[in-house]
């Protein structure tokens, strides 16, 4: 496995792979890799001849007071995991390589970036869309792989790729969960042992919504109320939102129909947790 840190090197590597007729799968990450990430790598290896993983903690998607400085950066461990999963090249640039000067050009995906996490993390999706555009331009993959856990990120990236005619396909892979239902996340390591025990309450609330929808409930307010009862079992959980929205447009659904994204975000101590499920409501 090769490790590249410069744009020139990774471009040369991909050019050679393409010249040899190989398709390129790309998994963009911020490192601190876990089974959620390795499932994306495995999916990329299945669909493509070679796999490029980027490891870059992108400063432009963190707001003031967020966890940019303390975000885990276990590079040696990440490289070992990539090698184990047959990654061909890791692209691990420095911030100066990615942002050599003041950044004046931004990619902003309107509307879809605004609800849900957009309300609590202003500027976050602008940073994500901008760095993904840069990474797609640098790597030039055929396919790029993202996890459903970050449902709004997926919706933003899909829309950006469609609106800007970017020449790649986005593949979305299922959320990977711990045995107790907690969605895998690099931020789970911030949880204290007690918080770790409490965190699966979010998935239990999501499951409650699925049960209600399958039983025929279509009133979102009722469903949110019943989910909140579950979430209140952990008094320390500060809920940011519990929302039922259209899975593609992220528009609010007071009466649910079609593919519904049920999404929850909250803070447990200093840790921000997000999770979601997609449930089929009655046909539109
Ligand atoms: O999902 C992430 O880890 C990041 O948002 C991404 C897509 C790598 C962009 O920095």
């Amino acid at each position: 496995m090769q490790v590249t840190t410069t744009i020139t090197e990774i471009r040369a590597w991909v050019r050679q792979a393409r010249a040899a007729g190989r398709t390129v799968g790309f998994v963009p990450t911020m490192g601190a890799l876990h089974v959620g990430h390795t499932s994306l790598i495995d999916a990329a290896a299945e669909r493509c001849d070679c796999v490029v993983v980027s490891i870059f903690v992108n400063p432009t998607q963190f707001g003031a007071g967020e966890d940019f400085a303390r975000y885990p950066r276990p590079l040696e461990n990440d490289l070992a995991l990539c090698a184990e999963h047959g990654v061909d090249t890791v692209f691990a640039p420095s911030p100066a390589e990615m942002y050599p000067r003041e950044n004046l050009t931004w990619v902003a995906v309107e509307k879809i970036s605004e609800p849900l996490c957009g309300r609590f993390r202003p500027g976050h999706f602008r940073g994500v869309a901008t760095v993904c555009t840069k990474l797609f331009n640098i790597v030039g993959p055929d396919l790029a792989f993202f996890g459903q856990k970050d449902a709004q990120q997926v919706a933003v990236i899909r829309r950006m790729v469609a609106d800007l005619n970017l020449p790649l396909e986005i593949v979305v892979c299922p959320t990977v969960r711990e045995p107790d239902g907690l969605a895998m996340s690099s931020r789970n390591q911030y949880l204290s042992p007690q918080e770790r025990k409490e965190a699966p309450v979010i998935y239990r609330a999501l499951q409650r919504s699925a049960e209600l929808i399958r039983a025929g409930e279509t009133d979102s307010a009722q469903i949110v109320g019943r989910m909140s009862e579950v979430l209140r079992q952990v008094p320390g959980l500060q809920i940011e939102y519990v929302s039922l929205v259209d899975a593609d447009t992220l528009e609010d659904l007071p009466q649910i129909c079609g593919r519904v994204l049920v999404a929850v975000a909250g803070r447990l101590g200093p840790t921000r947790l997000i999770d979601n499920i997609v449930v089929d409501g009655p046909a539109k």
Side-chain angles (χ1 to χ4, degrees), residues 28-30 58 61 128 131-132 146 150 153:
T29 82
M30 299 206 300
N58 172 37
Q61 69 187 75
V128 169
V131 81
C132 285
F146 289 84
D150 297 307
Q153 170 168 282

Side-chain angles (χ1 to χ4, degrees), residues 44-59:
E46 188 125 306
R47 300 262 318 255
C48 304
D49 299 323
C50 57
V51 178
V52 178
V53 171
S54 65
I55 298 180
F56 179 61
V57 184
N58 172 37

Side-chain angles (χ1 to χ4, degrees), residues 224-237:
V224 170
R226 300 286 296 280
M227 292 174 72
S228 302
E229 284 168 15
V230 177
L231 292 167
R232 278 198 291 272
Q233 290 166 5
V234 174
L237 178 68

Side-chain angles (χ1 to χ4, degrees), residues 19 30 32 37 147 190 202:
M30 299 206 300
H37 295 112
Y190 299 153
I202 294 181

Side-chain angles (χ1 to χ4, degrees), residues 31-47:
L33 303 182
H34 49 69
V35 183
H37 295 112
T38 56
S39 76
L40 300 179
I41 294 171
D42 294 345
E46 188 125 306
R47 300 262 318 255

